[in-house]
């Protein structure tokens, strides 16, 4: 099942104990099997990158699996393959206080582990490409903040970021880490055992565990709080979509890293690149929605291949 953990209280202080702590070797738990690197394919990607002068990169959950965060769709190791759990739906969260209570209880337990994940060699390679002027823009579908942690600044977080919290009423934005302290203060005796973790930091708790959990409101207006992410069933804001379309139109090539492109919010930019006749390369273990549009398809680990590419 991946991760299991226990949150408990001793001497008035919260602690998180993981019965299977992450180590360097355990980060492969959520990475699908892939063939060994092919020197010819490495050369082909090197040619693609060398010829690119305004490269746009789009990343998905597959780039973060090597950091120990599972994706949703990978065969055998993705969340959908390992469990019957599905992500929370936008309208359920907006319309139901008990749904919000359940969400935040689970998020509270999962947050220490989720927020501690670190960039892997693929994230660091893309940050280096930006520093060296190779990367025109980076668009990520991930909400894990690992590109920001790696140092990328020419970055659009298409689906938002779990490290920020929004008030649904007044729009006030606050850091997620500050909310963790408020959760602890409101729930000094509450404890729960968590089984498994999702790509958005969600964990799995029983209804009984959730029932007594208290959720803070916005400190400014008292409104309900929501992570600054696009839940399933919601849409990306129009101005953000337009901004990314403009970056695609400025680019001369597009590289997809770690995404099956099954979600339309990312796939639409591939269609824009196709209309503009940009060369498209895809690095993803397993098939994607756009394999037939790509001039180069690579089925290798992102963290093994990208550091081998010279961005000069």
């Amino acid at each position: 099942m991946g991760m299991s953990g226990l949150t408990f209280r001793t001497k008035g202080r919260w602690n998180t104990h993981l019965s299977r702590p992450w180590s360097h070797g355990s980060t492969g738990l959520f990475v699908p099997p892939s063939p060994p690197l092919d020197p010819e394919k490495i050369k082909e990607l090197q040619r693609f990158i060398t010829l690119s002068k305004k490269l746009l990169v789009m990343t998905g959950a597959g780039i973060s699996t090597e950091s120990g965060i599972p994706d949703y769709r990978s065969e055998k190791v993705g969340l959908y393959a390992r469990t019957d759990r599905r992500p929370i739906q936008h309208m359920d969260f907006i319309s139901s206080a008990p749904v919000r209570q359940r969400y935040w209880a689970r998020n509270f337990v999962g947050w220490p582990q989720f927020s501690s994940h670190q960039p892997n060699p693929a994230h660091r390679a893309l940050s280096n490409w930006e520093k060296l002027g190779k990367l025109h823009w980076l668009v990520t579908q991930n909400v894990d903040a690992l590109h920001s942690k790696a140092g990328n600044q020419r970055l659009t977080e298409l689906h938002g970021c779990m490290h920020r919290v929004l008030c649904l009423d007044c729009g006030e934005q606050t850091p997620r880490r500050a909310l963790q302290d408020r959760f602890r203060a409101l729930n000094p005796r509450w404890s729960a055992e968590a089984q498994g973790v999702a790509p958005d930091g969600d964990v799995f708790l029983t209804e009984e565990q959730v029932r007594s959990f208290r959720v803070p409101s916005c400190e400014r207006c008292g409104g309900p709080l929501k992570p600054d992410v696009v839940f399933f069933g919601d849409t990306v804001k129009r101005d953000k979509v337009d901004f990314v379309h403009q970056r695609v139109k400025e680019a001369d090539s597009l590289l997809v890293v770690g995404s099956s492109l099954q979600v339309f919010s990312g796939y639409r930019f591939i269609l824009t690149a196709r209309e503009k006749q940009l060369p498209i390369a895809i690095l993803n273990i397993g098939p994607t929605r756009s394999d037939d549009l790509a001039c180069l398809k690579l089925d290798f680990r992102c963290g093994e291949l990208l550091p081998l590419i010279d961005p000069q």
Side-chain angles (χ1 to χ4, degrees):
M1 282 289 296
M3 179 196 302
S4 63
L6 174 68
T7 305
F8 59 95
R9 186 175 180 264
T10 55
K11 297 183 182 175
R13 186 181 273 179
W14 281 94
N15 295 286
T16 299
H17 168 71
L18 294 177
S19 56
R20 291 178 62 182
W22 291 111
S23 65
H24 178 73
S26 65
T27 56
L29 283 170
F30 303 121
V31 184
S34 61
L37 288 175
D38 178 344
E40 284 306 310
K41 291 290 188 182
I42 297 172
K43 286 180 188 172
E44 287 182 48
L45 181 59
Q46 180 66 68
R47 274 196 297 272
F48 181 90
I49 299 301
T50 300
L51 291 170
S52 302
K53 303 306 175 194
K54 298 192 82 172
L55 174 68
L56 186 135
V57 176
M58 178 178 292
T59 67
I63 195 174
S64 294
T65 55
E66 291 172 67
S67 291
I69 301 175
D71 64 11
Y72 286 112
R73 295 179 176 83
S74 285
E75 188 176 352
K76 296 183 180 176
V77 294
L79 188 75
Y80 293 166
R82 293 180 296 111
T83 78
D84 60 359
R85 302 284 179 167
R86 295 297 178 264
I88 193 165
Q89 297 294 311
H90 176 74
M91 283 309 301
D92 293 341
F93 187 95
I94 297 298
S95 61
S96 170
V99 168
R100 291 194 293 272
Q101 179 191 39
R102 182 170 71 246
Y103 176 86
W104 281 121
R106 290 153 56 146
N107 188 273
F108 169 66
V109 175
W111 179 251
Q113 179 61 49
F114 181 78
S115 61
S116 70
H117 289 295
Q118 295 301 314
N120 65 53
H123 296 101
R124 292 194 291 272
L126 292 178
S127 178
N128 187 45
W129 291 11
E130 179 181 312
K131 290 185 183 80
L132 294 172
K134 173 57 70 174
L135 185 68
H136 176 59
W137 205 261
L138 174 60
V139 180
T140 186
Q141 300 170 87
N142 300 339
V143 296
D144 53 31
L146 292 185
H147 286 301
S148 294
K149 287 182 179 181
N152 280 102
Q153 296 182 332
R154 298 178 67 83
L155 170 68
T156 296
E157 294 169 321
L158 193 61
H159 296 149
C161 182
M162 286 299 304
H163 289 249
R164 297 186 299 268
V165 176
L166 286 177
C167 172
L168 288 172
D169 287 349
C170 73
E172 173 86 344
Q173 189 180 96
T174 52
R176 173 62 183 81
R177 65 179 177 273
L179 189 60
Q180 196 74 356
D181 294 332
R182 297 184 65 201
F183 281 136
R184 290 192 187 100
L186 276 177
N187 300 278
R189 295 181 185 83
W190 188 88
S191 65
E193 184 177 333
Q195 296 293 330
V197 66
D200 61 357
D202 192 17
V203 299
F204 313 130
L205 303 177
T206 66
E207 291 300 321
E208 188 178 353
Q209 288 171 318
V210 166
R211 204 170 293 129
S212 62
F213 189 76
R214 298 181 64 198
V215 180
S217 300
C218 173
E219 289 187 299
R220 189 162 98 175
C221 76
L225 299 176
K226 173 186 175 293
D228 186 14
V229 299
V230 177
F231 284 139
F232 281 72
D234 194 10
T235 55
V236 180
K237 285 188 171 60
R238 187 74 242 171
D239 58 347
K240 187 180 284 191
V241 173
D242 291 343
F243 179 87
V244 175
H245 274 304
Q246 190 57 40
R247 301 292 81 74
V248 174
K249 289 170 183 173
E250 294 166 356
D252 65 2
S253 55
L254 191 152
L255 171 64
V256 176
V257 178
S259 177
S260 61
L261 301 168
Q262 292 300 317
V263 178
F264 182 73
S265 58
Y267 176 66
R268 63 177 139 204
F269 301 116
I270 309 301
L271 299 180
T272 299
R274 176 67 170 178
E275 285 170 20
K276 199 170 174 267
Q277 298 185 313
L278 298 186
I280 299 168
I282 299 176
L283 169 58
N284 186 69
I285 300 172
T288 81
R289 192 175 179 178
S290 298
D291 286 356
D292 60 329
L293 303 181
C295 64
L296 178 60
K297 173 60 169 52
L298 304 147
D299 282 84
F300 306 111
R301 285 188 176 218
C302 308
E304 290 182 356
L305 179 51
L306 292 185
L308 299 178
I309 302 301
D310 181 358
Q312 300 288 3

